[in-house]
Amino acid sequence: MRAARLIKMVLLLQDRPSMTAAQLAAELEVSERTVTRDALALSEAGVPVYAVRGRAGGYRLVGGYRTRLTGLARGEAEALFLSGLPGALRDMGLEDAASAARLKVSAALLPSLRDAHESAARRFHLDAPGWYQEPETPELLASVAEAVWDDRRVSARYRRGDGGEVERELEPYGLVLKAGVWYVCARAGSSFRTYRVDRFASVAVGGERFDRDPDFDLPVFWEERSAEFARSLLRTEVVVRLSAAGARRLPYVTDRAAAEEALAAGTAEAGRVRVVLRVESEEVAFGQLLGLGPEAEVLAPGTLRERFAEAARGLAELYE
């Protein structure tokens, strides 16, 4: 623990011309007295750290000193590639590894490039969660992430959508953060499946590692499964006659892929375009198509058309 702290202190001083005891204590999460003792230990070990007293004082390295302690550990290198996702790193318990990796990379750069990470952070930020919802970190995310990073099998209890629980032996291949929700893509038996991390009731990380399938591609797998899932939700068809304005707006009020597919197969009818649109349910279709107002006329099913007629009568009475 202390050795890692001493290395970090050297890297910090190598990255900056001078740091006060208070600044070092804040970065290292120790007391100023501990900083003083660590500086003395480094000096005795041959690292040219010296203290300058006064208002502009602080701890410094003798000019030109460069440490060779910049090699990245595997975990630090992996975390560095996720450094644009600070919230995700924190949730997975990798924040310290990423911080150490950034310091090592910064220490290895030329002085003129050492502010590159700050420059990038001032210009780009990724906010993964969707609007109108507070992101929640699943309680067992850190355990799942540990298994993913280390290729370890897990024994888990998983809550299904109907409320029941099942036991699963999983080989977790990868984590995906989608609109604020964490998913793990894992092999269960001979097939790959996707599980919501917040539905795990328990996760026990085993000591046995599994051999990863070299052909598994996480982005490709996720794209295919998410597309399948989206299609599986669209179980109902409605027939709609759209004006030109309604046709332009349709992809913005319902599933875009379903809308584009319906418009591509649409036929001209009574000066409008007649489409067969796949939707999740009549209830969902009512809420979506209502936003198109008079630019959309529902033709079928009859129950949905009657519901729109009732809504139209109600609006007419309201605005008379």
Side-chain angles (χ1 to χ4, degrees):
M1 182 68 179
R2 190 190 185 198
R5 189 175 71 242
L6 292 174
I7 291 173
K8 186 173 182 179
M9 183 174 178
V10 174
L11 293 173
L12 285 167
L13 292 174
Q14 185 173 298
D15 191 43
R16 308 176 195 181
S18 177
M19 293 185 71
T20 66
Q23 289 172 330
L24 283 168
E27 289 278 0
L28 300 172
E29 299 181 351
V30 296
S31 67
E32 292 185 31
R33 180 171 296 181
T34 299
V35 168
T36 301
R37 288 198 297 267
D38 286 352
L40 180 60
L42 287 170
S43 181
E44 292 174 347
V47 179
V49 177
Y50 68 98
V52 177
R53 299 186 181 279
R55 179 173 298 179
Y59 289 93
R60 302 178 184 180
L61 289 173
V62 171
Y65 177 82
R66 305 289 296 175
T67 177
R68 294 178 180 271
L69 298 172
T70 53
L72 291 179
R74 180 176 180 83
E76 293 169 346
E78 291 170 335
L80 185 61
F81 285 100
L82 294 173
S83 58
L85 298 165
L89 282 168
R90 183 176 58 253
D91 294 345
M92 291 188 290
L94 297 172
E95 193 171 26
D96 290 343
S99 175
R102 285 192 295 268
L103 273 173
K104 290 182 178 181
V105 170
S106 181
L109 292 173
L110 293 171
S112 60
L113 299 177
R114 286 184 198 153
D115 66 342
H117 68 287
E118 296 178 359
S119 176
R122 285 194 295 267
R123 289 168 172 81
F124 301 99
H125 176 68
L126 176 62
D127 185 9
W131 290 103
Y132 313 119
Q133 61 181 5
E134 286 295 325
E136 294 184 4
T137 303
E139 182 180 351
L140 298 172
L141 176 60
S143 297
V144 176
E146 175 191 349
V148 168
W149 283 117
D150 213 20
D151 294 339
R152 293 191 182 274
R153 290 187 172 90
V154 301
S155 299
R157 281 192 299 116
Y158 187 74
R159 291 186 292 267
R160 298 182 306 195
D162 59 9
E165 288 190 2
V166 292
E167 300 280 345
R168 289 286 183 266
E169 297 293 323
L170 303 175
E171 296 178 355
Y173 269 61
L175 282 164
V176 175
L177 177 59
K178 169 73 171 180
V181 180
W182 284 95
Y183 299 86
V184 61
C185 302
R187 183 161 56 187
S190 60
S191 62
F192 287 95
R193 300 183 181 182
T194 302
Y195 302 87
R196 281 184 59 141
V197 178
D198 58 3
R199 288 188 181 174
F200 283 114
S202 68
V203 171
V205 181
E208 183 183 1
R209 286 187 171 89
F210 62 88
D211 295 325
R212 295 180 68 90
D213 182 346
D215 295 327
F216 179 81
D217 188 312
L218 180 60
V220 171
F221 172 81
W222 176 258
E223 183 178 358
E224 291 175 351
R225 289 303 171 90
S226 56
E228 289 175 8
F229 175 72
R231 287 194 297 269
S232 71
L233 294 177
L234 308 179
R235 303 185 182 95
T236 303
E237 288 186 346
V238 299
V239 182
V240 187
R241 199 152 48 198
L242 300 162
S243 68
R248 287 194 301 270
R249 290 168 53 191
L250 185 65
Y252 298 97
V253 300
T254 187
D255 181 83
R256 177 175 290 274
E260 291 175 349
E261 180 182 313
L263 290 169
T267 57
E269 184 177 285
R272 294 194 168 199
V273 58
R274 185 180 187 274
V275 301
V276 179
L277 178 68
R278 292 185 298 116
V279 294
E280 187 173 344
S281 65
E282 287 190 25
E283 181 68 29
V284 171
F286 177 75
Q288 292 173 338
L289 297 176
L290 193 62
L292 296 180
E295 309 303 330
E297 178 190 359
V298 173
L299 303 178
T303 52
L304 184 59
R305 179 178 174 85
E306 180 55 32
R307 189 169 179 183
F308 270 91
E310 290 178 6
R313 287 191 290 269
L315 284 170
E317 291 174 4
L318 184 63
Y319 285 98
E320 279 184 350

